[in-house]
Amino acid sequence: MGKGVLDDRLHMRDLLRSDINHERPDKGGKALFDLVGDLRGKTILDLGCGLAPYRSVIEEKGATWVGCDLTGGVCTVIADAGRLPFRSESFDGVLSAAVLEHLPEPGWSLDEVRRVLRPSGKLFGYVAFLEPLHGMSYFHMSHLGLEYLLLRHGFRVERLYPSHNVLSYQLEQILFPKPLPVIQPLVRAIARVWAQGLLFLNRVGRGVLMVLRRVPRERRREEAREYRMLQAMRFAIGFNFISVRSDPMVVAQAGYRALLKGDQTWHVSSPGTRAMAKSARQGA
């Protein structure tokens, strides 16, 4: 794998936004519905609901569930995510669980989601990163890609944290093309312990190198914390996220361009100013 001319300028702080909580809660993805806040009396759109595995969770939280998908007898509404048949500001929240990677135009769908969300409404869910190809997967996303996509389409990201480790998950997928009771859960548990052990040894090795290089103790502690967090991001099968509809919309400089020109930001609040921002970005 080649190295870019700007890679030497990259630091861990460039890969972990300080305004986003990346810490993985103890319950992992199961904690998402607790972290999103009080859902009592709210109306939640389950976008791409499939067989509605989260309907009971949402309704137990006291919310009204509305399921939307391309087909199927389980959903409430049959529709395309790029053209939602709902009035603007109809929902308090939108759940997108393993959906964005299957959309050929995720940006269009996010624009629609923002439209149907009420002010300060939340978009939350999961997106694949290092999962194997499944179904019609188009855009498996790194945490940076997901952050930028959400920001670009009018969402402020509050939390974004990794799901399971890819090493154990991929091994399980290779060994068990079809579910196998008893044996598969046992292998899964062993594989997860093995994967966590490898990642721990990696962190220990890095820590030893930093001691040998005489890096100050306080700096070692801070970088060890950041490295642990980034390591979990690098080897995640996907990410759980919680974002909020933001007003005005914000488009920030991203990627290597930000290293050259700083974190330039455009505030976009109307189609006209949005077009001006687009022209400015293209000319930069």
Side-chain angles (χ1 to χ4, degrees):
M1 182 174 64
K3 190 172 183 180
V5 294
L6 294 175
D7 285 357
D8 289 335
R9 300 192 192 183
L10 278 174
H11 300 281
M12 282 188 288
R13 62 178 176 271
D14 297 314
L15 302 175
L16 295 168
R17 291 177 63 104
S18 60
D19 59 337
I20 297 176
N21 186 342
H22 292 300
E23 287 285 354
R24 188 176 189 272
D26 292 337
K27 293 182 180 180
K30 294 180 180 179
L32 188 69
F33 291 95
D34 295 326
L35 296 172
V36 77
D38 188 2
L39 298 182
R40 286 176 296 180
K42 296 184 177 179
T43 304
I44 306 298
L45 174 64
D46 189 349
L47 186 63
C49 64
L51 297 176
Y54 303 106
R55 177 174 185 171
S56 60
V57 179
I58 291 172
E59 291 181 340
E60 286 171 5
K61 295 286 184 181
T64 299
W65 178 88
V66 177
C68 178
D69 213 322
L70 284 171
T71 186
V74 178
C75 58
T76 311
V77 176
I78 295 177
D80 190 317
R83 186 177 293 179
L84 296 175
F86 305 108
R87 293 180 179 178
S88 298
E89 302 183 2
S90 298
F91 297 96
D92 301 291
V94 174
L95 170 63
S96 172
V99 173
L100 288 176
E101 65 266 28
H102 298 289
L103 302 177
E105 296 290 347
W108 292 358
S109 298
L110 286 175
D111 286 341
E112 276 291 272
V113 168
R114 186 178 186 279
R115 180 184 66 79
V116 302
L117 269 177
R118 297 187 176 109
S120 300
K122 292 188 177 183
L123 167 63
F124 60 103
Y126 169 87
V127 65
F129 176 37
L130 294 178
E131 283 191 42
L133 178 70
H134 58 284
M136 296 188 71
S137 299
Y138 291 94
F139 296 107
H140 289 209
M141 303 176 199
S142 69
H143 72 284
L144 295 173
L146 179 57
E147 287 170 7
Y148 182 75
L149 185 67
L150 290 169
L151 181 65
R152 175 67 183 81
H153 291 277
F155 294 92
R156 174 175 53 82
V157 186
E158 290 186 337
R159 296 192 70 125
L160 191 160
Y161 59 90
S163 183
H164 297 300
N165 179 278
V166 69
L167 300 178
S168 57
Y169 182 83
Q170 293 279 33
L171 179 62
E172 183 182 345
Q173 294 296 304
I174 292 171
L175 293 176
F176 302 100
K178 294 290 184 180
L180 184 64
V182 183
I183 296 177
Q184 185 174 354
L186 178 61
V187 171
R188 179 188 304 137
I190 294 172
R192 287 184 180 179
V193 172
W194 164 76
Q196 290 301 323
L198 288 179
L199 295 178
F200 175 75
L201 290 176
N202 178 278
R203 294 195 298 271
V204 169
R206 187 176 185 277
V208 170
L209 287 176
M210 293 184 72
V211 171
L212 294 177
R213 292 172 180 170
R214 298 182 179 181
V215 176
R217 180 177 297 181
E218 289 301 317
R219 182 181 167 194
R220 289 205 310 268
R221 288 178 179 174
E222 179 62 21
E223 289 206 5
R225 184 190 69 82
E226 292 179 344
Y227 185 75
R228 175 184 58 79
M229 197 176 300
L230 186 58
Q231 185 189 58
M233 294 288 196
R234 291 178 62 196
F235 298 104
I237 64 170
F239 302 103
N240 298 285
F241 67 93
I242 299 173
S243 62
V244 181
R245 172 179 159 170
S246 61
D247 293 292
M249 292 177 63
V250 175
V251 180
Q253 197 69 270
Y256 291 106
R257 184 180 293 274
L259 294 178
L260 288 173
K261 298 190 175 184
D263 188 15
Q264 300 178 25
T265 302
W266 290 271
H267 294 270
V268 186
S269 56
S270 68
T273 53
R274 196 176 306 178
M276 292 172 61
K278 182 178 179 180
S279 299
R281 288 196 303 276
Q282 292 174 343

